[in-house]
Amino acid sequence: MLNSAQQASFLNQQELLIFQLTGKQLFGINVLKVKEIIPTQRLAKLPFSHPAVMGIAKLRGVPFTVINLALALGIPAHQTADRKESIIITELNRSIQGFLVNHVSRIINCSWHDIVPPPATMGSNIYITGITKLNEKMVEIIDVEKVINEVIPTPDYNTQLVNELPYEFKQILKNKLVVVVDDSSMARKQVANTLKSIGVQYLLTCNGKQAIEKIHDLDAQNKRVDMIISDIEMPTMDGYTLTQEIRQESNEELSSIYILLHTSLTTTVSAVNATRCGANAALTKFVTNDLANMVIEALTKK
């Protein structure tokens, strides 16, 4: 059984799979999202698909879409004689997909404290959620949720759910405030749209550190935060650490805030660690009605 210090250390660790695309720049993806790495194979072409979609492959009989990650990121092709292409098969957001990459290198272990947000000079329309270093070389962590949503967009079933709610619930929800914490701009937009659909007020933040600062500012203004919806993987302060920090607050009103960890990781993985760090629940991204129902239940229960 881990003690509290060991649990904090365990939850704050991050394993990244390091790879390259068309040049020497290093990229990373969370190992927990990776199911398998396989050599390239013959693909069944998909007509009328995004230019970055290479086709359909199969893993033990299960079909999945293969995305050329360099093309998806808008990186110009640069052929080299020593290309060693592989397909990184990932499982996230309740689906399986493959990313065609070059030179899968190694797995590194680091702390979320060692990962920083991308500099503002990179702009807002980027596919990077964080940056760390490996042997003094910069590693860019890919916003795979944004890549998938742009290359293989899923239908938006987000309707004005507030119209279907009982009057009593509408009155309760309109006075609630939710702090959304996610380093992915795409994920923040999805959660914001869902909260709008049920008439809940919200504030958007990019990582745990920013969220805690915002919550303290609101508390100083006597404004109550009723719920936190937080991603797990974020630079500077991840969702597990954010949850632990909130639970350790001396102010009981802050320490008892309902916390939902909303993640692209599988529920099995996230639910266990959510319990360890003190979150109320965990939910795998992204189904609008599932998120809306969890928010309604958390904010309207007596």
Side-chain angles (χ1 to χ4, degrees):
M1 188 73 173
L2 298 178
N3 61 38
S4 58
Q6 289 171 324
Q7 286 184 15
S9 175
F10 172 78
L11 293 172
N12 192 44
Q13 293 302 303
Q14 163 78 344
E15 285 188 316
L16 295 174
L17 177 66
I18 305 300
F19 57 90
Q20 293 167 274
L21 294 176
T22 63
K24 294 183 179 180
Q25 174 62 49
L26 300 179
F27 296 92
I29 184 174
N30 187 343
V31 168
L32 290 176
K33 294 178 178 177
V34 177
K35 283 182 66 70
E36 202 165 326
I37 301 170
I38 63 173
T40 54
Q41 57 177 261
R42 185 181 296 276
L43 305 175
K45 297 296 183 182
L46 277 176
F48 312 114
S49 58
H50 189 283
V53 173
M54 307 305 294
I56 299 293
K58 286 188 177 181
L59 177 66
R60 291 180 284 279
V62 178
F64 61 92
T65 304
V66 177
I67 300 168
N68 184 316
L69 191 51
L71 285 179
L73 300 181
I75 300 175
H78 176 64
Q79 296 293 334
T80 61
D82 62 340
R83 289 185 66 83
K84 299 178 181 177
E85 290 183 329
S86 300
I87 297 174
I88 300 175
I89 302 174
T90 63
E91 183 175 11
L92 62 153
N93 292 358
R94 310 187 189 210
S95 64
I96 296 175
Q97 50 285 130
F99 294 102
L100 182 69
V101 304
N102 186 41
H103 284 301
V104 174
S105 173
R106 56 185 288 196
I107 292 173
I108 65 169
N109 191 290
C110 60
S111 164
W112 280 111
H113 297 304
D114 299 325
I115 301 173
V116 298
T121 53
M122 294 182 74
S124 57
N125 189 29
I126 58 173
Y127 298 88
I128 306 299
T129 60
I131 294 172
T132 190
K133 284 190 175 182
L134 173 62
N135 299 329
E136 299 307 313
K137 293 182 179 178
M138 184 173 67
V139 177
E140 297 182 355
I141 301 172
I142 303 293
D143 185 348
V144 285
E145 286 92 341
K146 183 175 181 179
V147 172
I148 292 169
N149 193 75
E150 292 190 358
V151 175
I152 319 172
T154 54
D156 186 0
Y157 299 110
N158 192 13
T159 58
Q160 288 298 315
L161 299 175
V162 69
N163 295 329
E164 304 170 11
L165 293 173
Y167 176 78
E168 179 188 0
F169 280 11
K170 292 179 185 179
Q171 294 302 109
I172 294 172
L173 292 173
K174 73 177 185 179
N175 295 314
K176 300 295 185 179
L177 176 61
V178 175
V179 172
V180 178
V181 197
D182 206 303
D183 58 337
S184 169
S185 59
M186 181 61 62
R188 289 195 301 272
K189 180 180 178 182
Q190 289 174 324
V191 176
N193 286 341
T194 300
L195 295 175
K196 282 181 187 176
S197 76
I198 57 174
V200 175
Q201 301 175 63
Y202 61 86
L203 290 171
L204 304 178
T205 59
C206 300
N207 58 61
K209 183 174 182 294
Q210 189 180 101
I212 284 181
E213 291 172 352
K214 177 61 68 175
I215 290 167
H216 283 158
D217 286 345
L218 292 168
D219 183 57
Q221 301 171 44
N222 293 318
K223 294 182 179 179
R224 176 181 171 81
V225 173
D226 300 284
M227 184 176 187
I228 297 170
I229 301 175
S230 177
D231 188 21
I232 291 176
E233 310 165 87
M234 295 177 290
T236 309
M237 182 184 290
D238 65 296
Y240 294 137
T241 305
L242 165 64
T243 302
Q244 291 173 323
E245 292 286 329
I246 292 293
R247 293 297 180 242
Q248 291 168 8
E249 289 281 351
S250 57
N251 182 331
E252 186 177 350
E253 190 169 273
L254 295 185
S255 66
S256 61
I257 294 173
Y258 189 101
I259 300 177
L260 171 65
L261 294 182
H262 191 225
T263 174
S264 57
L265 303 176
T266 62
T267 302
T268 303
V269 172
S270 55
V272 172
N273 288 337
T275 300
R276 287 182 178 180
C277 68
N280 296 88
L283 178 67
T284 301
K285 297 173 180 175
F286 189 90
V287 176
T288 296
N289 282 358
D290 285 358
L291 177 59
N293 288 334
M294 288 198 76
V295 172
I296 292 167
E297 181 181 356
L299 295 181
T300 59
K301 64 183 179 182
K302 300 294 185 180

